[in-house]
Amino acid sequence: SARVVSSPLLTMFHPVDDTLSTWIDPVTGRALAFEAVELASSRSTEVEHTRVRYAPGRFAVAVERAGRHLDEEQVVRHDTFDVPSMLMLLRGWHGAPGDRMVVDVMRSRTAWRLGVEIAGADTVETVLGAMAAVRFEGASVRMRRDGADDPASERRAFTLWISDDVDRVPLRLRAH
């Protein structure tokens, strides 16, 4: 589980209070289920509760908001993760520069198609000093419920640096 809460200053512009929970198969490392409890939007104080149990090809997305229930179905084309399990996948990925993968990632009730590449070795300055790192470059696009890329979605790019040691600690993230 992870919880993200905005600072008092940031709350004036965009309040955030999200709890994300993931259930992961200890043998395969694959995400089995996901829950998100969060504010429905930056303009709402309503809490939205999303529940997903992953299945190959398609799965139900159950949403509860203000006492209303919405059951949707998400079609996916690739292995499916959520944000916490995707981070765990990247931490465990030992490949060569140029290696790529495409996965589908749930963020709350929305699916994103994510392409990510091992961009190479790098050094990151931290409060502990310079650390060897693996740099990942990626971009995502929002998906429609039928599994197609949403043509109205902007591509969201990111760069992630993970320590190149046994601990594989996320060191820096630059994202849209």
Side-chain angles (χ1 to χ4, degrees):
S1 289
R3 183 167 184 222
V4 179
V5 179
S6 55
S7 68
L9 178 62
L10 184 58
T11 298
M12 292 189 310
F13 303 101
H14 182 73
V16 174
D17 189 352
D18 301 350
T19 301
L20 309 174
S21 301
T22 304
W23 286 260
I24 297 175
D25 184 313
V27 175
T28 66
R30 302 182 73 59
L32 300 172
F34 168 72
E35 279 191 38
V37 178
E38 59 196 332
L39 294 177
S41 74
S42 63
R43 297 169 301 284
S44 173
T45 58
E46 291 181 341
V47 173
E48 187 170 271
H49 189 170
T50 304
R51 293 180 184 93
V52 171
R53 289 197 176 274
Y54 297 116
R58 68 180 63 231
F59 48 82
V61 178
V63 180
E64 183 178 333
R65 180 177 177 185
R68 297 183 314 271
H69 295 275
L70 175 64
D71 292 318
E72 300 175 323
E73 184 175 74
Q74 180 65 55
V75 174
V76 292
R77 296 183 183 156
H78 305 282
D79 290 338
T80 308
F81 298 86
D82 47 69
V83 174
S85 63
M86 181 64 209
L87 181 58
M88 294 195 62
L89 175 70
L90 291 178
R91 290 181 69 189
W93 184 18
H94 296 275
D99 285 356
R100 291 187 48 79
M101 76 166 86
V102 176
V103 295
D104 294 334
V105 178
M106 291 298 294
R107 170 58 182 101
S108 303
R109 65 194 285 190
T110 305
W112 295 82
R113 180 140 304 117
L114 171 68
V116 64
E117 176 179 333
I118 298 176
D122 216 337
T123 301
V124 175
E125 289 294 328
T126 73
V127 294
L128 301 174
M131 298 187 73
V134 176
R135 187 177 79 248
F136 297 89
E137 300 281 345
S140 63
V141 62
R142 187 176 50 237
M143 295 166 50
R144 298 187 320 211
R145 286 287 177 218
D146 66 2
D149 293 354
D150 182 345
S153 174
E154 292 182 27
R155 295 187 65 74
R156 295 186 177 186
F158 73 92
T159 304
L160 173 66
W161 290 264
I162 294 178
S163 65
D164 194 8
D165 59 15
V166 68
D167 294 327
R168 302 290 285 190
V169 177
L171 299 173
R172 182 177 294 152
L173 172 67
R174 183 176 57 223
H176 169 79

